[in-house]
Amino acid sequence: MFLRLLSDVRWQRAGQGWWIMSSSRHSSTSGAEPHLTPLPAHAQVVICGGGIMGTSVAYHLSKLGWKDIVLLEQGRLAAGSTRFCSGIVSTARHLSIELKMADYSNKLYQQLEQETGIKTGYVKTGSISLAQTQDRLISLKRIASRLKVMGIPCEIIPPKRVAQLHPLINIHDLVGAMHVPEDAVVSSADVSHALASAASLNGAQIHERTSVIHVVTQKGCVAGVETDRGLIECQYFWAYELGLSNEGPVTIPLHACEHFYLLTRPLKTPLDSSTPTIVDLDGRIYIRNWQGGILSGGFEKNPKPIFTEGRNQLEIQNLQEDWDHFEPLLSALLRRMPDLEALEIVQLVNCPESFTPDMRCIMGESPNVQGYFVLAGMNSAGTSIGGGAGKFLAEWMVNGYPSDNVWPLDLKRFGALQGSRTFLRHRVMEVMPLIYDLKVPRWDFQTGRQLRTSPLYDRLDAQGARWMEKHGFERAKYFVPPGKDLLALDQSKTFYKPDWFDIVGEEVKCCKEAVCVIDMHAFLPCYGQQASKKPAAVSDLPFTLFPILQCMGDQALEVLQYLFSNDLDVPVGHIVHTGMLNHNGGYENDCSIVRLNKRSFFMISPTDQQVHCWAWLKKHMPEDSSLLLEDVTWKYTALNLIGPRAVDVLSELSYAPMTPEHFPSLFCKEMSVGYANGIRVMSMTHTGEPGFMLYIPIEYALHVYNEVMSVGQKYGIRNSGYYALRSLRIEKFFAFWGQDLDAFTTPLECGREFRVKLEKGTDFIGRDALMHQKQEGVYKRFTMFILEDHDTDLDLWPWWGEPIYRNGQYVGKTTSSAYSYTLERHVCLGFIQNPDPETGEAQVVTPDYINRGEYEIDLAGQRFQAKAKLYPFSSLFTTRRHKDEMEFSGFQGK
């Protein structure tokens, strides 16, 4: 029967090909070139591309009131990659923001035909995601928990129920499945035409057969668009993948791969239009109804990258069939649906699909060119998230910010290093299979590694470091002691207690009682703690450093006081933990600033904020040549001496007293360490434990490290990793930007009122919003939870994104979690809200509201009791804490 299918395939290939996903009214016509309407001389925004992304942006901009919109398409509307989309609309997404986009898209497409009168092919089929293993089923249960709190119907079903919903599915190897009854299918091309039609009715102009040559910029801002038919002046520009301007390219890290799916003739008994879409994740395939037959494709283990050298086609044509390459997916299809063996195949479609380095789409404003917006890299989910992505990007353009946190998708999460064509080619070969791979917590990319390493990398690697990657930097997760099975630890991927548990526990203990070395190549926000007299630890730390220099007057201080929320008018040598806020009071960055002298400041920021932070500063700084902003990240590395004995190690190395009386908390001095001069020593750490940060010129890094390790031997020094630091910072209730803090989180919502100069009478960005919030009250609150009835050895672990219930009602989700070796319990951090039980309307969250609730954390459908606090439980184990320590740690919950 398999050979019969192949003979059918060969017969079909000898015949005439069949264009798909495009109704007759969309197909090209022969004859004379159609008349082209003249382009306008000016527009508010020019949109480059008439696929589902471009038309979605145009549609939502018009809905928000913009009328002067011009959409340019180099070929015909929806004749590019949109025409080849499988048309599956699935809300089963791991990432919260993509889940919201998909849910919005589904609802938009459902009503689009009624709004425009254009048929979109929308059919609510539902989807069934299959699980062949228990780990896969756990992954689906985690997704199901998130779907349910979003109000999306969803259930975990047994294999027999799968057979009832789709009788053609072979269920013999299944352990369960997830059914999402409101998922759908559409014709992506028809959806694009409907969106374009609605935008046109609202005033948008659409011009086909018009190619963009480049974007004209002036002083770093969009000024116009040069086309093959003339110039259009504009203030905003949107592109899918163009990335061109007259002042240099806009880096958009994408790479295309060939993506295959087949189409069949109708079955003997044609499939009903409402037949559920099947997603066989372990088989790497998806299957949907198509005109009574099936459409089935997948994500093979050995993808084929294309267009590495760059290619700009007028219209994307169907690439060559490759049955040998598709064979593993075809075999998986026949195992899952054996009755299809004799079914006649119409066509094997091969089309280009763009993928990003981290499997998340790219959106937002370019950090280099203001007014240049991007929405690209859908990773084969363009139809599912296109409606919601267009909505958020339109809000961004009109309002200056979207209505939800889109940082995980922001273009500025990438730097120039991700633009390498070699890197992208190798990374997408890993990314495409990962679309359907089982992704357990703490998995790491394997391509593009060892790109950015500290001077200590080889030394730490030789001492057993196991590495992870952050923004291209290698950083140690933990260190494997001699005699441990390295291979087993590398393969320790589970939703349960991991094999590295005891190793990290010893490192945590050492950070509290002895001396360790932590390699963290993506910098955490700077948190400090006054030193006391216990043992110490060391960490090697890459980071982003921005010394801000002013040669005359006090303008540097004036500008920084406006850009940052905390008071920077401090004595020379003092360190200030602060944030850059937006006009709504939300965190755009979380950082530390040292006042080096009267007119010079030293800013320390996490590495993955480097591009975002730089763009924000440049955008809001005055155009004054006397004010200099310099990135000196590449001139320094850092050692983090963590622990109570750090004072002894550093005293012995520097021949200087390091006690709190001589070196107070949150203070910086330039000192000699060993033979090395010019080391900036700061009395702060990232864990709440006492210690020091040493910012070291790179040429001295190895020497200083060797000296620290040598002197530290008498104090029991050892290496440690980022997992230990994570455990320590979470049990101390420290928030991390990008996980706990974002542009929609204010200092008042996370207990950081003491880091804001509200009472100083000094204006800063976000002050008005915070003053209003202080009077009105907060509607969400950063809270700490300890799981009480949770068995660390036997139960699933919390990782992040788990729903939080108060008195049985959903009130929020976790943002970070870790096992606390001090408390011997799991600690979760997250925000909780106060929805009205009847209307769901948000109400003020007070300490009394938090303290009076009974809480549960949902782990893959199973709820565990949790105790909520507005201060760290670890303080229960401490007999005395100074007031400045409490403030520095951010404990206060008022």
Side-chain angles (χ1 to χ4, degrees):
M1 299 299 289
F2 186 67
L3 291 175
R4 181 180 176 184
L5 176 61
L6 291 179
S7 67
D8 287 345
V9 169
R10 284 192 287 270
W11 173 86
Q12 178 61 33
R13 292 179 66 189
Q16 184 175 359
W18 213 32
W19 284 113
I20 52 92
M21 305 303 290
S22 179
S23 58
S24 59
R25 69 176 184 275
H26 303 153
S27 58
S28 61
T29 57
S30 58
E33 186 74 15
H35 174 70
L36 298 178
T37 305
L39 297 179
H42 181 272
Q44 186 173 10
V45 57
V46 172
I47 296 171
C48 175
I52 196 166
M53 293 301 153
T55 55
S56 178
V57 173
Y59 171 87
H60 288 95
L61 284 174
S62 69
K63 288 289 185 180
L64 291 173
W66 281 18
K67 303 297 181 184
D68 197 7
I69 303 168
V70 173
L71 187 151
L72 306 178
E73 167 54 51
Q74 62 180 349
R76 303 185 314 278
L77 281 180
S81 59
T82 294
R83 179 165 57 118
F84 295 98
C85 289
S86 63
I88 297 172
V89 183
S90 171
T91 54
R93 320 292 304 174
H94 286 278
L95 198 62
S96 175
I97 187 62
E98 290 189 344
L99 190 158
K100 293 177 182 179
M101 288 178 176
D103 184 43
Y104 174 85
S105 299
N106 195 348
K107 294 172 180 175
L108 171 66
Y109 303 157
Q110 188 173 3
Q111 57 86 36
L112 202 54
E113 183 174 333
Q114 181 179 357
E115 178 183 349
T116 64
I118 296 177
K119 292 185 179 297
T120 60
Y122 182 91
V123 180
K124 188 177 292 184
T125 61
S127 69
I128 304 173
S129 298
L130 309 180
Q132 296 182 30
T133 67
Q134 288 298 330
D135 274 347
R136 176 70 71 181
L137 190 60
I138 291 170
S139 178
L140 294 178
K141 287 178 178 179
R142 288 174 58 86
I143 295 174
S145 294
R146 300 175 190 179
L147 290 174
K148 289 175 182 177
V149 298
M150 286 280 296
I152 300 172
C154 175
E155 62 176 337
I156 299 297
I157 59 176
K160 288 184 179 179
R161 179 59 178 152
V162 174
Q164 293 172 356
L165 292 169
H166 201 309
L168 295 179
I169 296 298
N170 176 10
I171 64 170
H172 79 280
D173 58 348
L174 301 182
V175 297
M178 179 178 69
H179 181 215
V180 185
E182 294 191 357
D183 280 355
V185 297
V186 296
S187 165
S188 302
D190 290 331
V191 167
S192 298
H193 278 268
L195 292 169
S197 175
S200 181
L201 290 174
N202 285 328
Q205 298 183 48
I206 298 176
H207 297 267
E208 297 181 319
R209 304 187 184 281
T210 305
S211 298
V212 171
I213 298 173
H214 68 256
V215 180
V216 179
T217 59
Q218 293 180 0
K219 297 182 178 180
C221 300
V222 169
V225 176
E226 186 70 43
T227 77
D228 59 353
R229 297 173 54 206
L231 176 69
I232 305 175
E233 294 181 352
C234 63
Q235 292 80 49
Y236 296 90
F237 175 75
W238 175 89
Y240 184 68
E241 295 184 9
L242 187 65
L244 300 177
S245 77
N246 66 333
E247 292 186 0
V250 173
T251 302
I252 308 174
L254 303 169
H255 201 292
C257 283
E258 297 183 22
H259 180 56
F260 297 87
Y261 61 82
L262 61 79
L263 299 159
T264 76
R265 302 283 186 190
L267 278 70
K268 187 174 182 180
T269 302
L271 288 178
D272 188 81
S273 61
S274 61
T275 301
T277 296
I278 299 296
V279 182
D280 187 355
L281 297 161
D282 298 305
R284 299 187 170 277
I285 58 171
Y286 56 82
I287 310 164
R288 59 154 288 194
N289 167 69
W290 187 75
Q291 298 184 3
I294 66 162
L295 180 158
S296 180
F299 301 95
E300 62 273 22
K301 292 183 178 181
N302 57 332
K304 299 171 65 177
I306 51 174
F307 307 155
T308 302
E309 72 284 356
R311 185 171 180 180
N312 183 23
Q313 296 173 300
L314 179 62
E315 292 177 13
I316 297 175
Q317 301 296 321
N318 198 4
L319 302 172
Q320 292 296 313
E321 293 180 338
D322 188 340
W323 284 101
D324 290 336
H325 189 79
F326 188 72
E327 192 278 332
L329 301 182
L330 180 61
S331 297
L333 170 63
L334 294 179
R335 285 194 299 271
R336 189 57 58 206
M337 298 181 70
D339 292 345
L340 300 185
E341 285 186 334
L343 190 62
E344 183 180 342
I345 291 176
V346 170
Q347 185 183 12
L348 178 64
V349 177
N350 179 5
C351 56
E353 178 68 49
S354 291
F355 295 87
T356 63
D358 59 2
M359 292 187 294
R360 305 197 299 261
C361 75
I362 297 172
M363 65 186 306
E365 188 175 18
S366 164
N368 304 320
V369 182
Q370 290 187 36
Y372 191 122
F373 285 81
V374 173
L375 179 56
M378 295 298 114
N379 300 287
S380 203
T383 304
S384 290
I385 66 176
K391 170 182 178 289
F392 284 129
L393 193 76
E395 292 171 346
W396 205 333
M397 298 173 76
V398 173
N399 303 323
Y401 50 86
S403 58
D404 209 327
N405 174 37
V406 298
W407 168 250
L409 312 177
D410 196 326
L411 171 63
K412 292 185 285 293
R413 72 185 188 271
F414 294 119
L417 66 96
Q418 284 93 359
S420 160
R421 300 309 297 176
T422 302
F423 166 80
L424 288 170
R425 181 180 177 87
H426 292 171
R427 175 55 65 86
V428 297
M429 293 177 70
E430 180 182 10
V431 162
M432 190 171 171
L434 281 171
I435 299 295
Y436 276 5
D437 271 357
L438 179 66
K439 289 175 280 293
V440 299
R442 311 286 174 87
W443 60 271
D444 303 302
F445 287 108
Q446 300 304 309
T447 53
R449 299 296 297 269
Q450 298 183 19
L451 180 61
R452 305 169 85 178
T453 60
S454 84
L456 309 179
Y457 177 84
D458 290 338
R459 285 291 308 277
L460 299 179
D461 190 62
Q463 297 177 71
R466 314 315 292 170
W467 300 98
M468 62 192 297
E469 176 262 338
K470 183 74 169 182
H471 204 64
F473 277 113
E474 296 292 325
R475 63 183 185 186
K477 298 182 287 188
Y478 48 81
F479 285 77
V480 180
K484 285 283 186 178
D485 186 346
L486 304 187
L487 182 61
L489 282 170
D490 279 346
Q491 295 175 347
S492 171
K493 297 179 178 181
T494 175
F495 291 103
Y496 291 90
K497 178 181 177 180
D499 289 347
W500 43 256
F501 178 84
D502 292 332
I503 293 175
V504 174
E506 289 299 314
E507 293 177 1
V508 168
K509 181 180 179 181
C510 193
C511 286
K512 292 175 175 288
E513 301 176 0
V515 198
C516 297
V517 180
I518 305 177
D519 180 25
M520 6 175 324
H521 283 268
F523 181 61
L524 287 172
C526 293
Y527 300 102
Q529 186 83 358
Q530 183 175 342
S532 60
K533 296 186 177 180
K534 292 183 183 177
V538 185
S539 71
D540 167 45
L541 175 65
F543 43 86
T544 296
L545 299 175
F546 297 112
I548 301 171
L549 308 176
Q550 171 63 36
C551 299
M552 53 190 299
D554 295 322
Q555 187 183 11
L557 178 61
E558 294 174 6
V559 171
L560 294 181
Q561 288 283 61
Y562 179 69
L563 290 177
F564 294 90
S565 59
N566 208 350
D567 188 9
L568 302 183
D569 190 7
V570 295
V572 171
H574 282 247
I575 304 168
V576 178
H577 293 308
T578 183
M580 293 191 296
L581 308 182
N582 53 42
H583 289 284
N584 294 321
Y587 279 99
E588 292 293 336
N589 186 18
D590 188 40
C591 57
S592 298
I593 294 183
V594 184
R595 190 167 194 175
L596 299 179
N597 56 54
K598 186 176 180 181
R599 301 184 180 91
S600 180
F601 296 82
F602 195 72
M603 175 180 170
I604 308 162
S605 179
T607 300
D608 58 355
Q609 292 184 46
Q610 183 174 6
V611 176
H612 175 69
C613 180
W614 183 273
W616 181 266
L617 286 169
K618 297 290 286 186
K619 185 175 183 178
H620 292 87
M621 284 171 55
E623 297 182 8
D624 190 324
S625 59
S626 64
L627 192 62
L628 174 65
L629 177 66
E630 182 187 5
D631 180 0
V632 296
T633 303
W634 317 114
K635 297 181 181 180
Y636 292 87
T637 189
L639 291 177
N640 189 352
L641 304 182
I642 305 173
R645 296 300 294 273
V647 62
D648 300 306
V649 174
L650 202 54
S651 293
E652 191 168 335
L653 282 169
S654 62
Y655 292 97
M658 303 298 297
T659 60
E661 292 76 20
H662 297 89
F663 208 123
S665 178
L666 295 180
F667 195 73
C668 174
K669 290 182 181 179
E670 188 170 297
M671 303 174 62
S672 297
V673 178
Y675 296 149
N677 292 318
I679 310 301
R680 298 192 191 279
V681 179
M682 303 181 189
S683 52
M684 63 180 188
T685 69
H686 306 280
T687 64
E689 303 300 322
F692 300 90
M693 288 294 306
L694 279 63
Y695 289 92
I696 309 163
I698 279 184
E699 62 268 27
Y700 298 147
L702 189 58
H703 167 76
V704 173
Y705 172 78
N706 288 338
E707 290 294 299
V708 166
M709 295 298 290
S710 177
V711 170
Q713 292 300 320
K714 68 182 69 173
Y715 305 107
I717 199 165
R718 64 174 288 170
N719 292 302
S720 182
Y722 180 77
Y723 285 5
L725 182 140
R726 180 184 178 89
S727 174
L728 290 168
R729 74 96 175 167
I730 288 176
E731 75 175 20
K732 290 297 194 302
F733 204 6
F734 289 175
F736 178 22
W737 196 94
Q739 289 185 16
D740 309 304
L741 307 180
D742 56 43
F744 290 82
T745 303
T746 72
L748 277 62
E749 293 167 345
C750 59
R752 292 185 172 194
E753 297 93 333
F754 62 92
R755 292 190 184 183
V756 181
K757 52 179 181 279
L758 284 177
E759 310 303 329
K760 294 286 187 178
T762 305
D763 191 25
F764 59 90
I765 298 175
R767 183 178 187 273
D768 292 343
L770 294 185
M771 292 295 290
H772 177 75
Q773 189 179 60
K774 186 175 181 179
Q775 293 184 355
E776 187 181 69
V778 298
Y779 289 84
K780 66 177 182 179
R781 187 75 186 200
F782 195 48
T783 309
M784 184 179 191
F785 299 90
I786 283 193
L787 298 186
E788 294 192 315
D789 59 344
H790 182 269
D791 189 319
T792 301
D793 294 320
L794 301 178
D795 291 326
L796 290 171
W797 275 29
W799 297 97
W800 58 272
E802 291 86 9
I804 303 170
Y805 290 87
R806 179 186 183 274
N807 298 343
Q809 182 183 20
Y810 172 71
V811 292
K813 63 180 181 180
T814 64
T815 52
S816 295
S817 63
Y819 183 81
S820 168
Y821 294 88
T822 303
L823 304 174
E824 299 182 346
R825 299 284 183 86
H826 261 96
V827 177
C828 300
L829 309 182
F831 287 89
I832 63 173
Q833 299 172 327
N834 182 11
D836 185 279
E838 296 182 0
T839 65
E841 183 178 351
Q843 302 177 102
V844 172
V845 176
T846 64
D848 185 64
Y849 168 81
I850 293 173
N851 293 331
R852 288 180 178 272
E854 297 290 334
Y855 294 91
E856 294 174 304
I857 308 294
D858 184 324
L859 305 184
Q862 184 178 358
R863 297 187 188 182
F864 294 87
Q865 293 180 359
K867 184 71 173 178
K869 285 287 185 178
L870 288 169
Y871 55 87
F873 281 78
S874 55
S875 64
L876 300 175
F877 296 85
T878 306
T879 57
R880 179 184 177 189
R881 285 190 182 275
H882 298 295
K883 182 177 182 295
D884 61 341
E885 289 178 303
M886 294 291 290
E887 290 187 348
F888 181 67
S889 299
F891 293 173
Q892 297 164 318
K894 299 180 179 179

